[in-house]
Amino acid sequence: MKNWLYNTFWATWIRKAFTALVVLAVVVPAAVLLPAKIGEPDLCAEGVVRSAGECIGVNGSGYDFGTGEIRQVTEAIRKENKRVADRNNSVTVAMMLPLQPKVPAERKQLRSELQGAYLAQYRANRTEKTPLLRLVLANPGADYAQQERVVDQLAAMADSERDNLRAVTGFNLSLGATRTAIARLTGELKIPVLASRVSADEIANPDNPSGPLRFPGLARIIPTNRQQADALANFHGGLRDAETVLVKDTRPHDIYDESLAKAFSRPEPGPPGPKDQVYESPGITEPGQTANHFALIGHNICESDARIVYFAGRPVHLRLFALKLSEVPCHGKKYTIVSGSGAATLDRYLSDADWKKLRGDGGNPTITVQYAAPGHPDAWDTALRMWEKDRQAETGRKPSAADRPAYLTDPREELRELRGLIGRQAVGDIGPVQLEDSRTMLVHDGVRTIAEAVFLANAQAVGSIPSRERVAAEWPRLEAAHRVRGTSGWICLTNGGNAYDKPVAVVQLDPHIRRVAFVGLGWPEKKPQPADCVVPSGTG
């Protein structure tokens, strides 16, 4: 009995001891590791942390920020950055824009923009000029709400000899947070910024400045909303006030809508037309109850003499407005809805049913949706044919190739080069490229413009890495002999950093072919850019 009790005691003790050891083996490492994790950031990828449900930060190693549509192009950027890393002479360019959009149409827009940036990087790195370009993606979160954290990262990269950040581009939404980010980058941090897509006049320097620039080191290659409105007015010509009405979004902090509404509120001759029709949307991509407002607004417009409707709002709401206005029976009256460059991807929001409704009964549409696009792939061939037809009517003879204006032939050649690059196998698979939305073209031109400024700055001291200040100082040099031959037109910058008389492609939705059709070129200054793009005095 004693032996049995003795053996049972020791068996129980050994079992408990073994259990305790197993528990300790599991718990102790966790206890050792846990304190190290407290306070550490939740990393999404190198340089990117999880914050407020988004992956915020800067990355150039192929991370797609969870947006599958851009995975192919981010991988292509990674490969090109790796190739550049093997060289000694390179600078970094950051693309700063929201990289986790929820709306499918916006994810496709994002892919177009990154494709344009990559194609320009690829092209710049295969010239004989230096330094080479490394491209990184910077996600400030939805509506640029977390831009401050990202700007801090970019500031560190600008001071780093390993990164040599020399320019920041992207900026696809004209918002208060966007303006704050650009102001800090150009002002406090002295980092050059090239805005390729934001069109609000509030994010621009005045031309021919008499004092310090509002945004020192800022360049822009898209016409401002005021310039777009001027180009559209010049294109249509002779509109009277009674023939037009403005529909505008009054949602706070969206300076694109505010700026476009101001631009469209230009004086027009004749008796006053109908008052502005206002609505307030809940967000950039949120329709809310706007469709109900638009139905009421449409009936009021019907009772006026207006036939041109200026629309200062975002594409989601423009789509709803066009559909609601098309439903209003108005004694056979037809309308043209005119908007700004923010509508450049409106067609991607349209369903099969939307296109059918816009076609109208019997294929006779009552609504034409027209806007000022930064570019269009059909622009230069069509504009050249129009020019040759007009010239032959004037002179009585067919003009020769030598007679063709360079402001049309240069962009056409650039577009051919870009198309050839897209089809080149060595470039890699970057996903389907759609040029009609102008985003690939314009962002490509923006990164090309940065490359030219960097090359010019480096030419002053070959072999060195140009400073941020030297790069920013080259913006005003990019005119005349150093004009940038963009796919979207000549880029010749004023002393305020604005593109002088940059043409807009007036385009419209064609419901019969279900695509965006090119209509003609609009010029902010009423006439094309001067020969060799020499910016005239009193302008910049």
Side-chain angles (χ1 to χ4, degrees):
M1 185 69 175
K2 286 182 179 180
N3 288 338
W4 179 84
L5 291 172
Y6 181 85
N7 291 337
T8 301
F9 170 80
W10 280 108
T12 303
W13 187 91
I14 291 170
R15 186 169 62 252
K16 289 181 177 179
F18 179 77
T19 301
L21 287 173
V22 170
V23 171
L24 284 171
V26 174
V27 171
V28 170
V32 171
L33 293 174
L34 189 58
K37 289 188 175 182
I38 292 176
E40 286 190 359
D42 182 6
L43 291 178
C44 298
E46 178 187 1
V48 182
V49 300
R50 195 174 306 281
S51 174
E54 296 182 278
C55 290
I56 305 300
V58 184
N59 181 275
S61 58
Y63 180 54
D64 64 7
F65 291 82
T67 305
E69 285 87 344
I70 67 172
R71 186 168 300 138
Q72 290 166 294
V73 68
T74 57
E75 174 60 16
I77 290 170
R78 182 195 68 78
K79 290 179 180 178
E80 182 64 13
N81 286 345
K82 185 177 184 299
R83 192 185 77 88
V84 168
D86 297 335
R87 316 293 178 89
N88 296 323
N89 192 8
S90 67
V91 299
T92 299
V93 175
M95 276 283 291
M96 185 173 176
L97 68 174
L99 293 166
Q100 295 177 294
K102 296 178 181 179
V103 179
E106 290 190 341
R107 292 197 292 269
K108 292 178 181 178
Q109 294 170 17
L110 174 62
R111 181 178 62 200
S112 292
E113 291 173 343
L114 298 188
Q115 287 168 336
Y118 166 69
L119 291 166
Q121 177 201 22
Y122 182 95
R123 189 175 175 187
N125 287 345
R126 280 154 185 82
T127 66
E128 296 181 357
K129 300 176 181 179
T130 57
L132 300 174
L133 302 187
R134 175 175 174 258
L135 190 63
V136 297
L137 309 183
N139 184 25
D143 296 346
Y144 290 80
Q146 302 190 62
Q147 54 82 20
E148 186 174 0
R149 179 195 294 257
V150 176
V151 172
D152 287 342
Q153 283 183 265
L154 296 175
M157 293 174 67
D159 292 333
S160 165
E161 292 185 3
R162 180 178 69 89
D163 293 312
N164 291 316
L165 178 72
R166 289 299 175 264
V168 183
T169 187
F171 301 109
N172 60 349
L173 291 172
S174 296
L175 301 170
T178 314
R179 178 174 55 192
T180 299
I182 291 175
R184 185 178 170 211
L185 286 165
T186 57
E188 174 191 338
L189 302 174
K190 310 300 181 188
I191 299 174
V193 168
L194 184 136
S196 55
R197 293 236 26 119
V198 289
S199 57
D201 293 76
E202 288 79 0
I203 309 179
N205 290 315
D207 283 328
N208 213 15
S210 57
L213 294 175
R214 185 189 312 166
F215 305 101
L218 171 65
R220 313 167 40 90
I221 65 166
I222 188 173
T224 65
N225 285 337
R226 170 60 65 182
Q227 291 171 325
Q228 291 180 30
D230 288 344
L232 287 166
N234 295 333
F235 181 81
H236 284 283
L239 290 175
R240 301 180 67 79
D241 195 43
E243 297 176 299
T244 67
V245 62
L246 172 63
V247 176
K248 64 180 181 181
D249 191 346
T250 58
R251 177 169 44 82
H253 311 303
D254 192 331
I255 59 177
Y256 169 77
D257 293 344
E258 296 172 14
S259 175
L260 192 58
K262 289 179 184 176
F264 281 146
S265 299
R266 59 201 321 276
E268 291 169 328
K275 70 177 184 180
D276 296 349
Q277 303 293 309
V278 300
Y279 70 97
E280 183 174 339
S281 69
I284 293 175
T285 59
E286 300 172 49
Q289 300 299 314
T290 54
N292 295 333
H293 294 299
F294 293 151
L296 300 174
I297 288 172
H299 282 91
N300 282 342
I301 292 175
C302 174
E303 298 303 315
S304 74
D305 293 329
R307 59 182 180 84
I308 302 290
V309 183
Y310 297 128
F311 188 88
R314 296 290 180 173
V316 166
H317 311 114
L318 174 55
R319 167 190 168 269
L320 288 173
F321 177 72
L323 294 174
K324 286 298 178 183
L325 190 59
S326 70
E327 294 173 356
V328 177
C330 196
H331 324 295
K333 189 177 178 182
K334 295 187 177 183
Y335 302 96
T336 298
I337 303 172
V338 177
S339 195
S341 58
T345 46
L346 176 61
D347 59 310
R348 290 182 174 177
Y349 291 88
L350 299 178
S351 66
D352 291 344
D354 294 342
W355 283 113
K356 183 178 180 180
K357 185 174 290 188
L358 291 176
R359 275 198 302 273
D361 295 333
N364 185 25
T366 59
I367 302 295
T368 298
V369 182
Q370 197 174 87
Y371 54 88
H376 191 279
D378 295 339
W380 309 114
D381 284 337
T382 304
L384 270 169
R385 286 196 297 269
M386 292 177 176
W387 180 89
E388 288 174 345
K389 182 180 179 180
D390 291 343
R391 178 55 62 92
Q392 186 167 359
E394 290 174 7
T395 63
R397 65 176 182 84
K398 185 176 181 180
S400 67
D403 294 328
R404 295 170 176 171
Y407 63 79
L408 295 179
T409 57
D410 279 356
R412 184 177 69 165
E413 291 306 311
E414 284 296 309
L415 185 58
R416 285 179 176 174
E417 181 71 24
L418 178 61
R419 279 182 162 136
L421 195 62
I422 291 168
R424 198 173 302 167
Q425 189 173 2
V427 171
D429 184 3
I430 58 175
V433 180
Q434 182 180 341
L435 296 177
E436 281 77 8
D437 69 0
S438 77
R439 291 177 184 266
T440 298
M441 293 169 59
L442 197 68
V443 175
H444 164 272
D445 292 353
V447 175
R448 285 267 291 162
T449 302
I450 291 171
E452 287 301 315
V454 170
F455 295 155
L456 281 179
N458 188 52
Q460 299 173 26
V462 178
S464 66
I465 298 296
S467 67
R468 291 171 295 198
E469 291 77 10
R470 269 176 39 206
V471 173
E474 301 309 320
W475 295 142
R477 312 287 174 260
L478 298 180
E479 57 137 354
H482 301 296
R483 66 185 180 274
V484 179
R485 295 163 174 83
T487 62
S488 59
W490 276 351
I491 297 165
C492 23
L493 300 181
T494 67
N495 288 339
N498 302 307
Y500 175 71
D501 199 20
K502 180 83 180 296
V504 300
V506 181
V507 300
Q508 66 187 34
L509 297 181
D510 189 332
H512 297 290
I513 58 175
R514 297 177 52 157
R515 62 185 290 265
V516 178
F518 175 74
V519 181
L521 290 178
W523 300 92
E525 299 294 326
K526 295 187 178 180
K527 58 184 179 181
Q529 293 153 307
D532 299 324
C533 214
V534 176
V535 176
S537 64
T539 302

